[in-house]
Amino acid sequence: MRSVFITAQYLSCIRSCVARPERAFGKVRAGRGSLFCTLRSGSMEGIQEEPQGPTKCDSQPSACDNSVLSPGETVITEGRAKVIFPTANEVFYNPVQQFNRDLTCAIVAEFARLQMLGKGIQICVPGEDLVPKVQVDLSEDQEEKPEATVEKQTVPLGEKCEDGLRILEGLAASGLRSIRFALEVPAIHSIVANDRSFKAVELMKRNIQFNGVGELVTPNLADARMLMYQCRERRNCFDVIDLDPYGSPAMFLDAAVQAVSDGGLLCVTCTDMAVMAGNSGETCYSKYGAMSIKAKYCHEMALRIILHSLDLRANCYQRYIVPLLAVSVDFYVRVFVRVFSGQAKVKACASKQAFVYNCTGCGTYHLQRLGKMVSHGSSFKYSAGSGPPVGKNCEHCFQRHQVGGPIWAESIYDPDFVQRVLNAVKINPQRFKTSDRIEGVLSMVLEELPDVPLYYTLDNLGRVLHCINPSLLQFRSAILHAGHRVSLSHACKSAIKTDAPPSVIWDIMRSWEKKNPVKKERLSASSPAFHILSTEPRLQACFEVREDANPKSRKQGLKRFQQNPEANWGPKARAKAGGGISTSLAEKSKQHQNKRKYREEDQSALKSFPCKKFQQGCCTRAEDCCYSHEPVVSATAEEGP
């Protein structure tokens, strides 16, 4: 907490306020201006006498001052920020996504450290001590010289840095994320907290003043797309752009890849997982330019679809992306990419994309690169990819293939950068409330095979053959014994990532089935299990557990997958200007709830629903029908000529 300097004549007044907390939040005049002194009940913490000479005090109300709260408002504490938030659903806020915001603060802080090192600026992250850079000559031929310290400019937290990062939060809502940036990330020049909702911007202004970060954070009322399009010039570009919309970010991506500076950081959240995970492939294509399919690896495919979409839109402007980290957690995808400019590098982007051929029977998948890059000395030749890699039907179960993608087929993380973020979190675990989960997720990401795009799931392999599953360590050991690499995935608890071909995977499962036989006479002749088990395995798998089959993150018991932290956990309802849910939607939801379950008990409410068979002219129940037989009048008929 910041120290507040006041004159000695007010100390006796403050001491009396401490004895009576209900009077402890008064306005104290000090010098030319006024300030609100922050007092804890029964404590004089942060109160000191005013030193001789002029001092600078930030005008900041107390985080516990109920006088700044209107009826129906509460104070939410997250990280170092304390924000006022209305209990009505007027401005969006989801407490479950604190992991998202904590991870973003950690990554932006480490990105700022790397950016400032090139400018000779040393930053001080909360909880870390500055490490002096010392150069010592210990040669034997010369006498020991005194230590030479490399002097660097040090930027303290919370102060404006002229050479610091320019950050844009395109959809800021209450401004919580921007305020956390100002309070937790050093070396910041300015932060623009933007939203197109008037109520959100008004709430942002109060929260910025409430936290005393007006020098760094500027609220802005505008459409995020128009704001980014206006800042496409190099001198106006942002070093960091954070997009966390409600649902799909597709409409903002084109403007974002233009408004971020060369080498800048783009942070994007996607919460429309139903679309990206294969429930609506045509909608996914319209938004991201890729067809999603329903498969066991759909969560990793979702994050690779958004990486493909970002790279595709950046290529239109001779730019390309380099992923620092992409994770699929909970009910959303979060990606952190750097955007660079370079016509020569853009030519290689087609070879980084791939189509996915997925078997609808056994779940076997194959990748088909969209382009090909061949080295010719110091130059490269680019051409279209050759294929397809599979026949019309699957070679293992003779079922048909689905085609999905294109998806990003390269690595989804930078191991050096992720390791830096992980080390920073380990050094100061008290920095974030979700530090244990950040450590677990990042540790799993570092263990993933970077050149293997998708994965199998152990439960699906057993389901296809109708047999019991081998343990995770047994299956991983069998792959290692066969001479192939294997890893887990942060996107799924039972995932198996491996460079082993599908034939080896099914040979291992055939060997396992021989030890745990199924009743083949009960299998249908057209089922995938019948065709797979009809072939003798060429590889005799060894299921003896190896020491290296158990990954380090699993041995240490790191928090990799969390349980639901609260009831009704997941995406919240979209914010509404008046708060709450509209009456019509609430009534409609109530009418539809359990309408079929209790149809025989209470059929009166069903008369408000039109009968589909009556509209088709085939309902024979007449008046006995529990649904309405009134003709449906179209909107144009009601309006008249």
Side-chain angles (χ1 to χ4, degrees), residues 235-472:
R235 62 179 181 274
N236 295 328
C237 285
F238 295 98
D239 300 301
V240 179
I241 295 180
D242 189 293
L243 298 174
D244 190 357
Y246 186 92
S248 172
M251 64 182 70
F252 306 102
L253 299 185
D254 183 77
V257 296
Q258 298 181 68
V260 67
S261 61
D262 190 18
L265 179 64
L266 188 57
C267 316
V268 181
T269 302
C270 306
T271 56
D272 56 336
M273 286 297 292
V275 171
M276 303 184 70
N279 284 353
S280 303
E282 68 285 353
T283 305
C284 182
Y285 177 80
S286 66
K287 292 182 177 181
Y288 303 104
M291 178 67 71
S292 61
I293 55 179
K294 261 190 175 181
K296 293 299 180 180
Y297 47 75
C298 60
H299 290 94
E300 182 168 347
M301 188 175 182
L303 65 87
R304 291 183 177 275
I305 285 177
I306 185 62
L307 289 176
H308 158 75
S309 183
L310 282 169
D311 192 54
L312 180 63
R313 304 196 189 205
N315 293 163
C316 298
Y317 309 101
Q318 300 302 307
R319 312 191 85 180
Y320 62 96
I321 68 167
V322 176
L324 294 182
L325 177 66
V327 292
S328 175
V329 293
D330 299 336
F331 53 87
Y332 59 89
V333 167
R334 181 69 166 168
V335 299
F336 303 88
V337 301
R338 296 187 71 178
V339 182
F340 294 93
S341 300
Q343 185 177 6
K345 294 291 185 68
V346 171
K347 293 181 178 180
C349 290
S351 61
K352 299 177 182 179
Q353 322 299 325
F355 287 103
V356 181
Y357 288 84
N358 179 74
C359 175
T360 58
C362 62
T364 302
Y365 68 88
H366 296 80
L367 296 179
Q368 169 62 59
R369 293 278 180 162
L370 189 61
K372 185 189 301 182
M373 182 176 65
V374 181
S375 174
H376 289 279
S378 59
S379 61
F380 294 92
K381 181 181 179 181
Y382 305 96
S383 60
S386 58
V390 294
K392 183 178 180 180
N393 295 322
C394 176
E395 60 178 319
H396 304 288
C397 67
F398 303 105
Q399 301 294 319
R400 61 185 178 86
H401 284 105
Q402 287 180 315
V403 182
I407 64 171
W408 178 264
E410 296 295 311
S411 176
I412 60 174
Y413 66 94
D414 182 341
D416 294 333
F417 182 82
V418 175
Q419 187 64 58
R420 292 175 66 96
V421 177
L422 180 59
N423 293 339
V425 175
K426 285 182 177 179
I427 291 174
N428 185 19
Q430 303 300 325
R431 182 177 166 196
F432 303 112
K433 183 179 179 180
T434 60
S435 291
D436 54 347
R437 193 182 181 200
I438 293 176
E439 181 181 351
V441 171
L442 295 186
S443 298
M444 284 199 71
V445 169
L446 288 174
E447 293 171 350
E448 289 187 28
L449 296 178
D451 55 343
V452 179
L454 302 174
Y455 55 80
Y456 298 94
T457 58
L458 197 58
D459 54 348
N460 184 64
L461 295 176
R463 181 191 62 81
V464 170
L465 298 185
H466 303 282
C467 66
I468 62 173
N469 297 327
S471 69
L472 185 65

Side-chain angles (χ1 to χ4, degrees), residues 65-125:
D65 192 349
N66 294 327
S67 63
V68 300
L69 300 180
S70 301
E73 293 181 341
T74 184
V75 175
I76 296 174
T77 302
E78 185 177 298
R80 292 192 164 206
K82 295 184 178 181
V83 297
I84 304 170
F85 195 81
T87 54
N89 190 29
E90 295 179 336
V91 180
F92 185 79
Y93 168 72
N94 192 348
V96 176
Q97 285 199 346
Q98 183 172 354
F99 171 78
N100 184 333
R101 292 182 284 269
D102 286 350
L103 180 62
T104 303
C105 288
I107 288 179
V108 173
E110 205 58 37
F111 176 75
R113 192 197 304 273
L114 292 176
Q115 294 293 91
M116 296 301 106
L117 283 178
K119 301 178 182 180
I121 300 176
Q122 188 175 6
I123 68 174
C124 180
V125 177

Side-chain angles (χ1 to χ4, degrees), residues 588-620:
K588 186 176 181 180
S589 176
K590 186 176 180 180
Q591 288 178 358
H592 281 80
Q593 190 172 8
N594 296 325
K595 71 173 185 178
R596 298 186 184 275
K597 183 176 180 181
Y598 303 105
R599 179 171 56 184
E600 297 180 358
E601 298 179 4
D602 184 13
Q603 299 182 357
S604 59
L606 300 180
K607 285 293 184 180
S608 59
F609 298 99
C611 178
K612 293 182 180 180
K613 291 186 177 181
F614 173 76
Q615 296 177 5
Q616 298 172 359
C618 58
C619 183
T620 59

Side-chain angles (χ1 to χ4, degrees), residues 190-266:
S190 59
I191 303 173
V192 177
N194 178 79
D195 205 288
R196 69 175 184 177
S197 168
F198 177 78
K199 283 186 173 293
V201 175
E202 290 298 314
L203 183 62
M204 264 190 272
K205 292 178 181 178
R206 296 177 59 193
N207 286 328
I208 291 171
Q209 182 183 4
F210 196 59
N211 289 269
V213 292
E215 185 179 359
L216 292 177
V217 185
T218 303
N220 187 70
L221 177 64
D223 188 298
R225 293 166 294 183
M226 298 306 299
L227 176 61
M228 289 187 286
Y229 279 130
Q230 293 170 359
C231 299
R232 289 177 295 177
E233 298 296 332
R234 184 178 299 272
R235 62 179 181 274
N236 295 328
C237 285
F238 295 98
D239 300 301
V240 179
I241 295 180
D242 189 293
L243 298 174
D244 190 357
Y246 186 92
S248 172
M251 64 182 70
F252 306 102
L253 299 185
D254 183 77
V257 296
Q258 298 181 68
V260 67
S261 61
D262 190 18
L265 179 64
L266 188 57

